[in-house]
Amino acid sequence: MNEQQATTTTISGPNPVAEAFETETLAGKSLARESFAGRSLRGADFRGSDLSMADFRGAILSGANFEGADLSGAQFHDAELRGALFTDARLLYARFTGAHIDDAVFTRAFMHHADLTRASAESARFTWARLMHATLRDARCSGADLTGACLRFADCCGADLSFATLEFADAPSVKLTAASLRGALILSANLDGASLAGTDLTGASFGRTVVTNCHDLDRAIGLVSISHVAPSALDVVTFRRLGAGLPAAFIAGLGIEQ
């Protein structure tokens, strides 16, 4: 056997196991407590699957489809979820801390007690989503669509909600301390009992919005610059207590004659 015959070349072929995992649809499957941590699953199809308590920490899931899936208690810390679909998904107690969910769609998603602390959710759609008791502390939600969203008792302290849409948002007792709502559209919204100290409302648009029982309304920033497209509601007790500290232009914009 000569030297040329003895020389062999090894060609690494595709990993059949990994290839099967990447191409197989994961829709409608029972994957509770499954770990997908760190995996690259761009555009994966998880529609209707049971993914409760699943681990997606650090996973790449851009454009993934979770429509109708049960993701209660799932972990998405630092995951890449840009453009992912969560329409009608169950996300109770799901954790998105530090995740990138920009342009993601959460239409009608159940997100009670979900944690979006420091998440990047720019231009994300939370239309008619249920975010009761959710945490959005320091989340970056510029341009987000929260039309019809329920934010009862949600903690949005320090969140960037600039240019967000909160039309028909139901947000009694929401915490907006030090949040930015610059240029936000706040129409037919319920902010009864909201915490507004340090909330930046510069250039926001108000109309038919309820701001009753907002005991720190006078500590909000930019009240004088709000654009009132229709009268809003302020309760008598709050007006009597804070009236002197509220800008005359803001009072007039609410539709209150002095």
Side-chain angles (χ1 to χ4, degrees):
M1 181 181 297
N2 58 38
E3 184 178 351
Q4 184 175 4
Q5 291 175 320
T7 302
T8 60
T9 303
T10 302
I11 301 175
S12 298
N15 184 328
V17 176
E19 186 176 348
F21 182 83
E22 291 177 2
T23 59
E24 181 185 11
T25 178
L26 299 170
K29 298 201 172 184
S30 180
L31 299 164
R33 299 180 182 276
E34 190 73 31
S35 177
F36 300 93
R39 290 186 181 274
S40 179
L41 293 165
R42 290 183 177 86
D45 184 1
F46 290 99
R47 287 175 296 170
S49 292
D50 178 6
L51 292 157
S52 52
M53 306 297 290
D55 185 358
F56 290 97
R57 288 177 293 181
I60 300 174
L61 294 153
S62 304
N65 193 337
F66 293 95
E67 293 182 351
D70 185 355
L71 291 150
S72 300
Q75 306 284 335
F76 288 99
H77 300 280
D78 300 318
E80 173 59 64
L81 290 154
R82 287 183 173 88
L85 302 178
F86 291 93
T87 301
D88 296 316
R90 291 177 60 82
L91 290 156
L92 285 69
Y93 292 94
R95 300 181 66 85
F96 290 91
T97 306
H100 294 276
I101 53 176
D102 310 280
D103 298 306
V105 178
F106 293 89
T107 301
R108 296 184 303 277
F110 287 85
M111 304 181 73
H112 306 61
H113 298 276
D115 188 354
L116 285 77
T117 301
R118 297 187 306 280
S120 178
E122 296 184 358
S123 299
R125 294 178 60 187
F126 296 96
T127 49
W128 305 102
R130 312 284 286 182
L131 287 151
M132 286 86 82
H133 296 279
T135 301
L136 291 88
R137 276 183 170 264
D138 300 315
R140 302 183 298 281
C141 305
S142 178
D145 188 351
L146 289 144
T147 299
C150 182
L151 290 157
R152 289 174 175 259
F153 305 103
D155 184 352
C156 302
C157 293
D160 180 5
L161 291 159
S162 55
F163 303 100
T165 299
L166 288 93
E167 190 170 6
F168 302 113
D170 184 30
S173 299
V174 65
K175 297 176 182 176
L176 290 165
T177 304
S180 174
L181 285 158
R182 294 176 66 91
L185 189 65
I186 309 171
L187 302 179
S188 300
N190 180 7
L191 297 176
D192 177 64
S195 300
L196 297 169
T199 305
D200 190 351
L201 292 162
T202 303
S205 295
F206 261 51
R208 299 180 297 278
T209 292
V210 175
V211 284
T212 54
N213 300 306
C214 297
H215 303 306
D216 54 5
L217 177 60
D218 58 329
R219 297 170 60 192
I221 300 168
L223 293 177
V224 72
S225 69
I226 289 176
S227 175
H228 297 271
V229 299
S232 293
L234 179 67
D235 62 291
V236 174
V237 173
T238 302
F239 177 67
R240 286 178 176 171
R241 192 170 66 86
L242 302 178
L246 296 173
F250 176 72
I251 294 296
L254 293 176
I256 301 173
E257 295 183 3
Q258 293 182 286

